[in-house]
Amino acid sequence: MISLKSPREIEAMRRAGRLTAQARALAGSLIRPGVTTHEIDRKVRRFIESHGAKPSFLGYGGFPGAVCISVNDVVIHGIPNHTKLKEGDIVSIDVGAFLGGYHGDCAATYPCGQVSEEAAKLIQVTQQSFWEGIQYARKGCRVSDIGHAVQTYVESYGFSVVREYVGHGVGSKLHEPPQVRNYGPAGHGPRLQPGMTIAVEPMVCAGDWQVHNVQGNWTTATVDGSLAAHYENTVLITEDGPEILTVTEDGAYV
């Protein structure tokens, strides 16, 4: 059943969302050649916990890190480790914070130093595809309208959208109904209603969209070895349109 949040719950989700966005921004600021993903994970975990919250992903289904940190061809669920980042890498940060009984969930892909033209374009298109999608995160639209807009935009640049993993509802649980696909025809699925809170998260590949697990049941990479990027925010459906909940106090979305 899709949960419609009350005004009290929405305010709690705004607080969780702000903290999560600040954690994402912190992680992004730490990305540079020579740093390890373990160091980023440790500092972000400390930041979240210092604000009286818990990292949403830590221990979730057995995940060992506080942050999913995915490098280059890794699409999602990269496990933090002691490998050092290199100039030209692209690094996807996916972070959640559980505060006051509710989760925030967001992601972004960052360049590590100077990156290739293709990598920079992939990051840009992935982020913009989110904004193309949430034009339809409005009362009366259907869930699939979002994904159709994402796919149409991404494919117009010659990139592809991952099919195996999708966005989702978010609230007191990290994953709630409905599923929010980043592909498919418009006009399908539940109608969006005020009070719904969803995580819209395009996962985009420079090559083919097929993916496979490369480390246990978590780390997922492109089959063809092409680069991948990820962008996500938690979104509230209101009477007047979408409200981004994972935004920092100074209005930043990355």
mmCIF file of all heavy atoms in Angstrom, residues 18 33 42 77 181 202 239:
data_model
loop_
_atom_site.group_PDB
_atom_site.id
_atom_site.type_symbol
_atom_site.label_atom_id
_atom_site.label_comp_id
_atom_site.label_asym_id
_atom_site.label_seq_id
_atom_site.Cartn_x
_atom_site.Cartn_y
_atom_site.Cartn_z
ATOM 1 N N ARG A 18 17.261 16.948 4.534
ATOM 2 C CA ARG A 18 18.319 17.958 4.600
ATOM 3 C C ARG A 18 19.632 17.340 5.066
ATOM 4 O O ARG A 18 20.700 17.613 4.513
ATOM 5 C CB ARG A 18 17.915 19.103 5.531
ATOM 6 C CG ARG A 18 16.990 20.127 4.894
ATOM 7 C CD ARG A 18 16.903 21.387 5.724
ATOM 8 N NE ARG A 18 16.301 21.153 7.028
ATOM 9 C CZ ARG A 18 14.990 21.235 7.282
ATOM 10 N NH1 ARG A 18 14.149 21.523 6.303
ATOM 11 N NH2 ARG A 18 14.521 21.021 8.500
ATOM 12 N N PRO A 33 41.930 12.515 -6.222
ATOM 13 C CA PRO A 33 42.901 11.432 -6.419
ATOM 14 C C PRO A 33 43.661 11.116 -5.131
ATOM 15 O O PRO A 33 44.072 12.024 -4.400
ATOM 16 C CB PRO A 33 43.840 11.991 -7.492
ATOM 17 C CG PRO A 33 42.994 12.980 -8.241
ATOM 18 C CD PRO A 33 42.104 13.603 -7.207
ATOM 19 N N ARG A 42 33.877 6.448 6.072
ATOM 20 C CA ARG A 42 34.094 6.667 7.506
ATOM 21 C C ARG A 42 33.703 8.084 7.911
ATOM 22 O O ARG A 42 33.031 8.290 8.935
ATOM 23 C CB ARG A 42 35.557 6.392 7.836
ATOM 24 C CG ARG A 42 35.931 6.625 9.292
ATOM 25 C CD ARG A 42 37.345 6.121 9.565
ATOM 26 N NE ARG A 42 38.310 6.659 8.622
ATOM 27 C CZ ARG A 42 38.887 7.853 8.741
ATOM 28 N NH1 ARG A 42 38.571 8.639 9.749
ATOM 29 N NH2 ARG A 42 39.780 8.256 7.847
ATOM 30 N N HIS A 77 25.680 0.240 -5.471
ATOM 31 C CA HIS A 77 25.993 -0.673 -4.370
ATOM 32 C C HIS A 77 27.474 -1.009 -4.270
ATOM 33 O O HIS A 77 27.843 -2.085 -3.805
ATOM 34 C CB HIS A 77 25.164 -1.968 -4.474
ATOM 35 C CG HIS A 77 23.699 -1.743 -4.480
ATOM 36 N ND1 HIS A 77 22.797 -2.661 -4.999
ATOM 37 C CD2 HIS A 77 22.945 -0.688 -4.047
ATOM 38 C CE1 HIS A 77 21.565 -2.191 -4.887
ATOM 39 N NE2 HIS A 77 21.630 -0.994 -4.312
ATOM 40 N N ARG A 181 10.130 3.241 -12.007
ATOM 41 C CA ARG A 181 11.065 2.836 -13.061
ATOM 42 C C ARG A 181 11.580 4.057 -13.823
ATOM 43 O O ARG A 181 10.915 5.090 -13.890
ATOM 44 C CB ARG A 181 10.389 1.865 -14.036
ATOM 45 C CG ARG A 181 10.013 0.532 -13.405
ATOM 46 C CD ARG A 181 9.398 -0.409 -14.434
ATOM 47 N NE ARG A 181 9.144 -1.734 -13.875
ATOM 48 C CZ ARG A 181 8.024 -2.098 -13.257
ATOM 49 N NH1 ARG A 181 7.038 -1.210 -13.142
ATOM 50 N NH2 ARG A 181 7.890 -3.300 -12.769
ATOM 51 N N PRO A 202 17.548 8.022 -11.623
ATOM 52 C CA PRO A 202 18.087 7.500 -12.877
ATOM 53 C C PRO A 202 19.463 6.868 -12.691
ATOM 54 O O PRO A 202 20.332 7.438 -12.023
ATOM 55 C CB PRO A 202 18.180 8.745 -13.763
ATOM 56 C CG PRO A 202 17.214 9.717 -13.169
ATOM 57 C CD PRO A 202 17.224 9.453 -11.705
ATOM 58 N N GLU A 239 0.289 19.587 -3.736
ATOM 59 C CA GLU A 239 -0.800 20.123 -4.569
ATOM 60 C C GLU A 239 -0.259 20.990 -5.702
ATOM 61 O O GLU A 239 -0.893 21.120 -6.754
ATOM 62 C CB GLU A 239 -1.764 20.955 -3.708
ATOM 63 C CG GLU A 239 -2.613 20.145 -2.742
ATOM 64 C CD GLU A 239 -3.763 19.415 -3.432
ATOM 65 O OE1 GLU A 239 -3.986 19.660 -4.640
ATOM 66 O OE2 GLU A 239 -4.425 18.603 -2.759
#
